[in-house]
Amino acid sequence: PPLPLSPQQDQVFRGSTPTLSWTASSDAAMYRLQVAGDAEFTQLLIDHQDLREINFDTAALTGIGEYHWRLTSIAADGELGPPGDARRWIIKPVPERPKASLEVQEDRIIASWRKGAPGQTYQVQMSQDAGFEQLLLDEKQDGNQLELQPVKGQLRYLRVRIIEPDGYLGSWGATQKIDPVPDDSWLGVLLPAILGFLLL
């Protein structure tokens, strides 16, 4: 039987589907490809017995779950060879983009976002610029909340993304702008000057 080349065993796909490829067999006129939802191939999803190419696009198989595939050579006289070793690929969902919300309290700012699935963690970044070139914070955390201190005179930006248990990094959520605390230090200079002028 032909040998499977790609995808690799237990390869994970998110937001895409694989193209199956295998080696050409010198004794094969065609190939039989079977794809199933179980390792015993009792739940066949695809069973093509007339493939002449050595690749197959699985774009029609988009459901979340695992898929098993194997190949068999078909000789020119129609004789069917033994099935080759089976392989598995897995389709997992693309993690959502967390939407952080800000709650301003008297002495702190609470950033929070919806709790993800079990095992998911988060990467949180805060920056001085909207392009996140000048990072003030870049950390991974388990919780879905972050406490920030108010800062005078400095605009800050915050964003969050999900990290899957296998290390896959989701897309960044929408950037949140953290407005600075009003800087009233000018009052300490201006008020004495005004009072001094009035007392003249």
Side-chain angles (χ1 to χ4, degrees), residues 46-59:
I46 290 175
D47 189 4
H48 288 311
Q49 301 189 40
D50 57 355
L51 294 178
R52 298 181 181 276
E53 304 295 327
I54 55 173
N55 52 69
F56 182 82
D57 187 356
T58 65

Side-chain angles (χ1 to χ4, degrees), residues 95-100 111-125 137-146 158-165 167-173:
E96 67 175 19
R97 300 174 60 191
K99 182 179 180 181
S112 62
W113 49 93
R114 191 168 69 180
K115 189 172 180 60
Q120 290 180 335
T121 55
Y122 313 94
Q123 182 179 5
V124 184
Q125 287 186 342
L137 175 73
D138 185 8
E139 68 177 32
K140 297 178 182 178
Q141 63 176 59
D142 298 328
N144 62 321
Q145 184 171 294
L146 180 67
L158 180 79
R159 65 182 182 181
V160 184
R161 66 177 171 182
I162 288 176
I163 305 174
E164 290 288 347
Y168 178 86
L169 297 173
S171 299
W172 290 108

Side-chain angles (χ1 to χ4, degrees), residues 18-83:
T19 295
L20 310 180
S21 65
W22 54 90
T23 59
S25 175
S26 58
D27 295 329
M30 294 181 294
Y31 304 98
R32 180 183 187 182
L33 169 66
Q34 292 178 307
V35 179
D38 64 313
E40 292 73 31
F41 286 84
T42 60
Q43 304 171 24
L44 283 179
L45 304 171
I46 290 175
D47 189 4
H48 288 311
Q49 301 189 40
D50 57 355
L51 294 178
R52 298 181 181 276
E53 304 295 327
I54 55 173
N55 52 69
F56 182 82
D57 187 356
T58 65
L61 301 176
T62 59
I64 304 301
E66 59 181 53
Y67 297 85
H68 302 260
W69 63 294
R70 65 185 180 186
L71 294 154
T72 304
S73 294
I74 303 175
D77 60 2
E79 182 181 357
L80 201 64

